[in-house]
PDB file of all heavy atoms in Angstrom:
ATOM      1  N   LEU A 372     173.952 181.115 123.776  1.00 92.00           N
ATOM      2  CA  LEU A 372     173.095 181.420 122.633  1.00 92.00           C
ATOM      3  C   LEU A 372     171.718 181.891 123.083  1.00 92.00           C
ATOM      4  O   LEU A 372     171.198 182.903 122.584  1.00 92.00           O
ATOM      5  CB  LEU A 372     172.982 180.182 121.747  1.00 92.00           C
ATOM      6  CG  LEU A 372     171.973 180.256 120.595  1.00 92.00           C
ATOM      7  CD1 LEU A 372     172.402 181.313 119.590  1.00 92.00           C
ATOM      8  CD2 LEU A 372     171.811 178.904 119.916  1.00 92.00           C
ATOM      9  N   VAL A 373     171.137 181.176 124.024  1.00 92.00           N
ATOM     10  CA  VAL A 373     169.786 181.527 124.479  1.00 92.00           C
ATOM     11  C   VAL A 373     169.781 182.902 125.136  1.00 92.00           C
ATOM     12  O   VAL A 373     168.916 183.749 124.850  1.00 92.00           O
ATOM     13  CB  VAL A 373     169.269 180.444 125.450  1.00 92.00           C
ATOM     14  CG1 VAL A 373     167.956 180.879 126.079  1.00 92.00           C
ATOM     15  CG2 VAL A 373     169.088 179.120 124.716  1.00 92.00           C
ATOM     16  N   GLN A 374     170.762 183.164 126.002  1.00 93.00           N
ATOM     17  CA  GLN A 374     170.795 184.449 126.697  1.00 93.00           C
ATOM     18  C   GLN A 374     171.116 185.600 125.742  1.00 93.00           C
ATOM     19  O   GLN A 374     170.561 186.705 125.873  1.00 93.00           O
ATOM     20  CB  GLN A 374     171.818 184.400 127.831  1.00 93.00           C
ATOM     21  CG  GLN A 374     171.454 183.438 128.954  1.00 93.00           C
ATOM     22  CD  GLN A 374     170.110 183.770 129.582  1.00 93.00           C
ATOM     23  OE1 GLN A 374     169.777 184.932 129.794  1.00 93.00           O
ATOM     24  NE2 GLN A 374     169.324 182.739 129.864  1.00 93.00           N
ATOM     25  N   ALA A 375     172.005 185.374 124.778  1.00 92.00           N
ATOM     26  CA  ALA A 375     172.314 186.426 123.809  1.00 92.00           C
ATOM     27  C   ALA A 375     171.102 186.736 122.940  1.00 92.00           C
ATOM     28  O   ALA A 375     170.815 187.915 122.649  1.00 92.00           O
ATOM     29  CB  ALA A 375     173.500 186.003 122.943  1.00 92.00           C
ATOM     30  N   ALA A 376     170.387 185.690 122.518  1.00 90.00           N
ATOM     31  CA  ALA A 376     169.181 185.916 121.722  1.00 90.00           C
ATOM     32  C   ALA A 376     168.122 186.651 122.538  1.00 90.00           C
ATOM     33  O   ALA A 376     167.451 187.567 122.026  1.00 90.00           O
ATOM     34  CB  ALA A 376     168.647 184.582 121.209  1.00 90.00           C
ATOM     35  N   ALA A 377     167.979 186.279 123.800  1.00 91.00           N
ATOM     36  CA  ALA A 377     166.997 186.961 124.653  1.00 91.00           C
ATOM     37  C   ALA A 377     167.379 188.423 124.865  1.00 91.00           C
ATOM     38  O   ALA A 377     166.524 189.320 124.807  1.00 91.00           O
ATOM     39  CB  ALA A 377     166.895 186.232 125.993  1.00 91.00           C
ATOM     40  N   TYR A 378     168.657 188.690 125.085  1.00 92.00           N
ATOM     41  CA  TYR A 378     169.103 190.076 125.262  1.00 92.00           C
ATOM     42  C   TYR A 378     168.901 190.872 123.974  1.00 92.00           C
ATOM     43  O   TYR A 378     168.502 192.049 124.007  1.00 92.00           O
ATOM     44  CB  TYR A 378     170.580 190.103 125.668  1.00 92.00           C
ATOM     45  CG  TYR A 378     171.173 191.495 125.699  1.00 92.00           C
ATOM     46  CD1 TYR A 378     170.917 192.357 126.758  1.00 92.00           C
ATOM     47  CD2 TYR A 378     171.975 191.947 124.654  1.00 92.00           C
ATOM     48  CE1 TYR A 378     171.448 193.637 126.780  1.00 92.00           C
ATOM     49  CE2 TYR A 378     172.512 193.228 124.665  1.00 92.00           C
ATOM     50  CZ  TYR A 378     172.250 194.064 125.727  1.00 92.00           C
ATOM     51  OH  TYR A 378     172.769 195.337 125.755  1.00 92.00           O
ATOM     52  N   GLY A 379     169.174 190.232 122.831  1.00 89.00           N
ATOM     53  CA  GLY A 379     168.973 190.931 121.569  1.00 89.00           C
ATOM     54  C   GLY A 379     167.518 191.297 121.333  1.00 89.00           C
ATOM     55  O   GLY A 379     167.213 192.405 120.860  1.00 89.00           O
ATOM     56  N   GLN A 380     166.605 190.409 121.654  1.00 87.00           N
ATOM     57  CA  GLN A 380     165.192 190.703 121.464  1.00 87.00           C
ATOM     58  C   GLN A 380     164.698 191.773 122.425  1.00 87.00           C
ATOM     59  O   GLN A 380     163.858 192.602 122.071  1.00 87.00           O
ATOM     60  CB  GLN A 380     164.368 189.429 121.638  1.00 87.00           C
ATOM     61  CG  GLN A 380     164.610 188.386 120.549  1.00 87.00           C
ATOM     62  CD  GLN A 380     163.801 187.127 120.776  1.00 87.00           C
ATOM     63  OE1 GLN A 380     162.999 187.058 121.710  1.00 87.00           O
ATOM     64  NE2 GLN A 380     164.013 186.120 119.935  1.00 87.00           N
ATOM     65  N   ALA A 381     165.245 191.794 123.637  1.00 88.00           N
ATOM     66  CA  ALA A 381     164.738 192.717 124.645  1.00 88.00           C
ATOM     67  C   ALA A 381     165.424 194.077 124.609  1.00 88.00           C
ATOM     68  O   ALA A 381     164.767 195.110 124.802  1.00 88.00           O
ATOM     69  CB  ALA A 381     164.898 192.095 126.037  1.00 88.00           C
ATOM     70  N   CYS A 382     166.740 194.123 124.367  1.00 88.00           N
ATOM     71  CA  CYS A 382     167.495 195.366 124.556  1.00 88.00           C
ATOM     72  C   CYS A 382     168.206 195.855 123.304  1.00 88.00           C
ATOM     73  O   CYS A 382     168.429 197.067 123.163  1.00 88.00           O
ATOM     74  CB  CYS A 382     168.524 195.174 125.683  1.00 88.00           C
ATOM     75  SG  CYS A 382     167.808 194.639 127.251  1.00 88.00           S
ATOM     76  N   ASP A 383     168.638 194.980 122.435  1.00 86.00           N
ATOM     77  CA  ASP A 383     169.462 195.396 121.300  1.00 86.00           C
ATOM     78  C   ASP A 383     169.030 194.601 120.071  1.00 86.00           C
ATOM     79  O   ASP A 383     169.435 193.456 119.881  1.00 86.00           O
ATOM     80  CB  ASP A 383     170.948 195.167 121.604  1.00 86.00           C
ATOM     81  CG  ASP A 383     171.855 195.751 120.540  1.00 86.00           C
ATOM     82  OD1 ASP A 383     171.339 196.297 119.550  1.00 86.00           O
ATOM     83  OD2 ASP A 383     173.086 195.653 120.698  1.00 86.00           O
ATOM     84  N   LYS A 384     168.198 195.224 119.244  1.00 85.00           N
ATOM     85  CA  LYS A 384     167.682 194.529 118.065  1.00 85.00           C
ATOM     86  C   LYS A 384     168.765 194.252 117.036  1.00 85.00           C
ATOM     87  O   LYS A 384     168.602 193.382 116.169  1.00 85.00           O
ATOM     88  CB  LYS A 384     166.575 195.372 117.422  1.00 85.00           C
ATOM     89  CG  LYS A 384     165.392 195.637 118.329  1.00 85.00           C
ATOM     90  CD  LYS A 384     164.659 194.346 118.679  1.00 85.00           C
ATOM     91  CE  LYS A 384     163.427 194.639 119.530  1.00 85.00           C
ATOM     92  NZ  LYS A 384     162.718 193.399 119.902  1.00 85.00           N
ATOM     93  N   THR A 385     169.880 195.004 117.111  1.00 86.00           N
ATOM     94  CA  THR A 385     170.942 194.798 116.123  1.00 86.00           C
ATOM     95  C   THR A 385     171.838 193.609 116.457  1.00 86.00           C
ATOM     96  O   THR A 385     172.642 193.192 115.625  1.00 86.00           O
ATOM     97  CB  THR A 385     171.814 196.061 116.027  1.00 86.00           C
ATOM     98  OG1 THR A 385     172.414 196.330 117.300  1.00 86.00           O
ATOM     99  CG2 THR A 385     170.967 197.262 115.612  1.00 86.00           C
ATOM    100  N   LEU A 386     171.747 193.086 117.664  1.00 90.00           N
ATOM    101  CA  LEU A 386     172.583 191.942 118.050  1.00 90.00           C
ATOM    102  C   LEU A 386     172.093 190.687 117.325  1.00 90.00           C
ATOM    103  O   LEU A 386     170.887 190.419 117.263  1.00 90.00           O
ATOM    104  CB  LEU A 386     172.544 191.741 119.560  1.00 90.00           C
ATOM    105  CG  LEU A 386     173.445 190.642 120.138  1.00 90.00           C
ATOM    106  CD1 LEU A 386     173.985 191.070 121.496  1.00 90.00           C
ATOM    107  CD2 LEU A 386     172.698 189.322 120.297  1.00 90.00           C
ATOM    108  N   SER A 387     173.022 189.922 116.808  1.00 89.00           N
ATOM    109  CA  SER A 387     172.683 188.674 116.117  1.00 89.00           C
ATOM    110  C   SER A 387     173.630 187.574 116.571  1.00 89.00           C
ATOM    111  O   SER A 387     174.802 187.831 116.866  1.00 89.00           O
ATOM    112  CB  SER A 387     172.770 188.849 114.594  1.00 89.00           C
ATOM    113  OG  SER A 387     174.090 189.170 114.205  1.00 89.00           O
ATOM    114  N   ALA A 388     173.110 186.368 116.625  1.00 91.00           N
ATOM    115  CA  ALA A 388     173.894 185.198 117.035  1.00 91.00           C
ATOM    116  C   ALA A 388     173.677 184.095 116.018  1.00 91.00           C
ATOM    117  O   ALA A 388     172.539 183.832 115.594  1.00 91.00           O
ATOM    118  CB  ALA A 388     173.489 184.726 118.430  1.00 91.00           C
ATOM    119  N   SER A 389     174.749 183.440 115.614  1.00 91.00           N
ATOM    120  CA  SER A 389     174.676 182.369 114.631  1.00 91.00           C
ATOM    121  C   SER A 389     175.609 181.238 115.044  1.00 91.00           C
ATOM    122  O   SER A 389     176.566 181.445 115.795  1.00 91.00           O
ATOM    123  CB  SER A 389     175.043 182.878 113.238  1.00 91.00           C
ATOM    124  OG  SER A 389     176.361 183.397 113.229  1.00 91.00           O
ATOM    125  N   ILE A 390     175.311 180.048 114.517  1.00 91.00           N
ATOM    126  CA  ILE A 390     176.087 178.845 114.830  1.00 91.00           C
ATOM    127  C   ILE A 390     176.837 178.427 113.579  1.00 91.00           C
ATOM    128  O   ILE A 390     176.289 178.423 112.472  1.00 91.00           O
ATOM    129  CB  ILE A 390     175.169 177.705 115.309  1.00 91.00           C
ATOM    130  CG1 ILE A 390     174.349 178.156 116.525  1.00 91.00           C
ATOM    131  CG2 ILE A 390     175.977 176.467 115.657  1.00 91.00           C
ATOM    132  CD1 ILE A 390     173.283 177.164 116.940  1.00 91.00           C
ATOM    133  N   SER A 391     178.089 178.078 113.740  1.00 91.00           N
ATOM    134  CA  SER A 391     178.898 177.597 112.626  1.00 91.00           C
ATOM    135  C   SER A 391     179.657 176.355 113.067  1.00 91.00           C
ATOM    136  O   SER A 391     179.866 176.133 114.265  1.00 91.00           O
ATOM    137  CB  SER A 391     179.879 178.680 112.158  1.00 91.00           C
ATOM    138  OG  SER A 391     180.741 179.062 113.212  1.00 91.00           O
ATOM    139  N   GLY A 392     180.085 175.577 112.084  1.00 90.00           N
ATOM    140  CA  GLY A 392     180.845 174.367 112.403  1.00 90.00           C
ATOM    141  C   GLY A 392     180.273 173.152 111.686  1.00 90.00           C
ATOM    142  O   GLY A 392     179.349 173.236 110.868  1.00 90.00           O
ATOM    143  N   ASP A 393     180.838 171.996 112.028  1.00 89.00           N
ATOM    144  CA  ASP A 393     180.460 170.721 111.426  1.00 89.00           C
ATOM    145  C   ASP A 393     179.341 170.082 112.248  1.00 89.00           C
ATOM    146  O   ASP A 393     179.575 169.573 113.350  1.00 89.00           O
ATOM    147  CB  ASP A 393     181.680 169.791 111.365  1.00 89.00           C
ATOM    148  CG  ASP A 393     181.426 168.566 110.506  1.00 89.00           C
ATOM    149  OD1 ASP A 393     180.248 168.294 110.203  1.00 89.00           O
ATOM    150  OD2 ASP A 393     182.399 167.889 110.128  1.00 89.00           O
ATOM    151  N   VAL A 394     178.130 170.132 111.715  1.00 88.00           N
ATOM    152  CA  VAL A 394     176.969 169.606 112.448  1.00 88.00           C
ATOM    153  C   VAL A 394     177.040 168.080 112.532  1.00 88.00           C
ATOM    154  O   VAL A 394     176.685 167.488 113.566  1.00 88.00           O
ATOM    155  CB  VAL A 394     175.666 170.059 111.781  1.00 88.00           C
ATOM    156  CG1 VAL A 394     174.459 169.528 112.551  1.00 88.00           C
ATOM    157  CG2 VAL A 394     175.608 171.577 111.695  1.00 88.00           C
ATOM    158  N   ASP A 395     177.490 167.427 111.468  1.00 89.00           N
ATOM    159  CA  ASP A 395     177.553 165.955 111.477  1.00 89.00           C
ATOM    160  C   ASP A 395     178.514 165.451 112.544  1.00 89.00           C
ATOM    161  O   ASP A 395     178.239 164.462 113.239  1.00 89.00           O
ATOM    162  CB  ASP A 395     177.984 165.450 110.101  1.00 89.00           C
ATOM    163  CG  ASP A 395     176.953 165.760 109.020  1.00 89.00           C
ATOM    164  OD1 ASP A 395     175.768 165.884 109.384  1.00 89.00           O
ATOM    165  OD2 ASP A 395     177.339 165.882 107.849  1.00 89.00           O
ATOM    166  N   GLU A 396     179.650 166.116 112.675  1.00 90.00           N
ATOM    167  CA  GLU A 396     180.600 165.708 113.707  1.00 90.00           C
ATOM    168  C   GLU A 396     180.036 165.931 115.099  1.00 90.00           C
ATOM    169  O   GLU A 396     180.244 165.127 116.009  1.00 90.00           O
ATOM    170  CB  GLU A 396     181.906 166.478 113.533  1.00 90.00           C
ATOM    171  CG  GLU A 396     183.021 166.000 114.456  1.00 90.00           C
ATOM    172  CD  GLU A 396     184.323 166.729 114.210  1.00 90.00           C
ATOM    173  OE1 GLU A 396     184.398 167.512 113.231  1.00 90.00           O
ATOM    174  OE2 GLU A 396     185.272 166.514 114.993  1.00 90.00           O
ATOM    175  N   ALA A 397     179.291 167.041 115.264  1.00 88.00           N
ATOM    176  CA  ALA A 397     178.655 167.294 116.561  1.00 88.00           C
ATOM    177  C   ALA A 397     177.598 166.239 116.868  1.00 88.00           C
ATOM    178  O   ALA A 397     177.456 165.799 118.019  1.00 88.00           O
ATOM    179  CB  ALA A 397     178.034 168.685 116.571  1.00 88.00           C
ATOM    180  N   LYS A 398     176.869 165.798 115.849  1.00 87.00           N
ATOM    181  CA  LYS A 398     175.884 164.730 116.063  1.00 87.00           C
ATOM    182  C   LYS A 398     176.574 163.438 116.466  1.00 87.00           C
ATOM    183  O   LYS A 398     176.082 162.698 117.327  1.00 87.00           O
ATOM    184  CB  LYS A 398     175.071 164.510 114.788  1.00 87.00           C
ATOM    185  CG  LYS A 398     174.125 165.647 114.450  1.00 87.00           C
ATOM    186  CD  LYS A 398     173.357 165.338 113.174  1.00 87.00           C
ATOM    187  CE  LYS A 398     172.396 166.459 112.815  1.00 87.00           C
ATOM    188  NZ  LYS A 398     171.650 166.180 111.559  1.00 87.00           N
ATOM    189  N   ALA A 399     177.732 163.163 115.850  1.00 88.00           N
ATOM    190  CA  ALA A 399     178.471 161.948 116.215  1.00 88.00           C
ATOM    191  C   ALA A 399     178.961 162.008 117.653  1.00 88.00           C
ATOM    192  O   ALA A 399     178.994 160.987 118.351  1.00 88.00           O
ATOM    193  CB  ALA A 399     179.658 161.767 115.261  1.00 88.00           C
ATOM    194  N   LEU A 400     179.317 163.201 118.131  1.00 84.00           N
ATOM    195  CA  LEU A 400     179.754 163.322 119.522  1.00 84.00           C
ATOM    196  C   LEU A 400     178.608 163.128 120.498  1.00 84.00           C
ATOM    197  O   LEU A 400     178.779 162.530 121.565  1.00 84.00           O
ATOM    198  CB  LEU A 400     180.384 164.703 119.752  1.00 84.00           C
ATOM    199  CG  LEU A 400     181.779 164.932 119.165  1.00 84.00           C
ATOM    200  CD1 LEU A 400     182.204 166.368 119.409  1.00 84.00           C
ATOM    201  CD2 LEU A 400     182.787 163.981 119.775  1.00 84.00           C
ATOM    202  N   SER A 401     177.441 163.648 120.140  1.00 73.00           N
ATOM    203  CA  SER A 401     176.296 163.535 121.049  1.00 73.00           C
ATOM    204  C   SER A 401     175.643 162.173 121.004  1.00 73.00           C
ATOM    205  O   SER A 401     174.855 161.841 121.882  1.00 73.00           O
ATOM    206  CB  SER A 401     175.260 164.611 120.701  1.00 73.00           C
ATOM    207  OG  SER A 401     174.805 164.450 119.363  1.00 73.00           O
ATOM    208  N   ARG A 402     175.959 161.352 119.976  1.00 69.00           N
ATOM    209  CA  ARG A 402     175.359 160.021 119.864  1.00 69.00           C
ATOM    210  C   ARG A 402     175.968 159.094 120.895  1.00 69.00           C
ATOM    211  O   ARG A 402     177.186 159.023 121.043  1.00 69.00           O
ATOM    212  CB  ARG A 402     175.577 159.443 118.468  1.00 69.00           C
ATOM    213  CG  ARG A 402     174.801 158.159 118.225  1.00 69.00           C
ATOM    214  CD  ARG A 402     175.091 157.621 116.842  1.00 69.00           C
ATOM    215  NE  ARG A 402     174.732 158.577 115.820  1.00 69.00           N
ATOM    216  CZ  ARG A 402     175.595 159.143 115.000  1.00 69.00           C
ATOM    217  NH1 ARG A 402     176.878 158.832 115.080  1.00 69.00           N
ATOM    218  NH2 ARG A 402     175.202 160.018 114.093  1.00 69.00           N
ATOM    219  N   PRO A 403     175.149 158.349 121.688  1.00 62.00           N
ATOM    220  CA  PRO A 403     175.717 157.443 122.702  1.00 62.00           C
ATOM    221  C   PRO A 403     176.477 156.314 122.053  1.00 62.00           C
ATOM    222  O   PRO A 403     176.076 155.798 121.004  1.00 62.00           O
ATOM    223  CB  PRO A 403     174.469 156.923 123.449  1.00 62.00           C
ATOM    224  CG  PRO A 403     173.346 157.100 122.481  1.00 62.00           C
ATOM    225  CD  PRO A 403     173.679 158.326 121.665  1.00 62.00           C
ATOM    226  N   PRO A 404     177.606 155.903 122.627  1.00 53.00           N
ATOM    227  CA  PRO A 404     178.403 154.807 122.031  1.00 53.00           C
ATOM    228  C   PRO A 404     177.694 153.479 122.167  1.00 53.00           C
ATOM    229  O   PRO A 404     177.031 153.199 123.147  1.00 53.00           O
ATOM    230  CB  PRO A 404     179.693 154.838 122.856  1.00 53.00           C
ATOM    231  CG  PRO A 404     179.296 155.455 124.159  1.00 53.00           C
ATOM    232  CD  PRO A 404     178.198 156.447 123.846  1.00 53.00           C
ATOM    233  N   GLU A 405     177.831 152.625 121.145  1.00 53.00           N
ATOM    234  CA  GLU A 405     177.233 151.292 121.134  1.00 53.00           C
ATOM    235  C   GLU A 405     178.327 150.253 121.114  1.00 53.00           C
ATOM    236  O   GLU A 405     179.294 150.358 120.354  1.00 53.00           O
ATOM    237  CB  GLU A 405     176.336 151.115 119.900  1.00 53.00           C
ATOM    238  CG  GLU A 405     175.153 152.089 119.868  1.00 53.00           C
ATOM    239  CD  GLU A 405     174.307 151.896 118.633  1.00 53.00           C
ATOM    240  OE1 GLU A 405     174.673 151.021 117.807  1.00 53.00           O
ATOM    241  OE2 GLU A 405     173.294 152.597 118.484  1.00 53.00           O
ATOM    242  N   ASP A 406     178.122 149.220 121.936  1.00 45.00           N
ATOM    243  CA  ASP A 406     179.106 148.118 122.022  1.00 45.00           C
ATOM    244  C   ASP A 406     180.499 148.662 122.251  1.00 45.00           C
ATOM    245  O   ASP A 406     181.462 148.329 121.560  1.00 45.00           O
ATOM    246  CB  ASP A 406     179.081 147.256 120.758  1.00 45.00           C
ATOM    247  CG  ASP A 406     177.720 146.636 120.527  1.00 45.00           C
ATOM    248  OD1 ASP A 406     177.002 146.447 121.529  1.00 45.00           O
ATOM    249  OD2 ASP A 406     177.387 146.346 119.375  1.00 45.00           O
TER     250      ASP A 406
END
Side-chain angles (χ1 to χ4, degrees):
L372 172 65
V373 172
Q374 294 302 319
Y378 173 77
Q380 293 179 4
C382 304
D383 188 358
K384 300 295 183 181
T385 61
L386 184 145
S387 62
S389 60
I390 303 172
S391 59
D393 191 345
V394 181
D395 295 334
E396 187 177 353
K398 290 180 180 179
L400 286 176
S401 60
R402 189 182 301 116
E405 298 179 359
D406 300 333

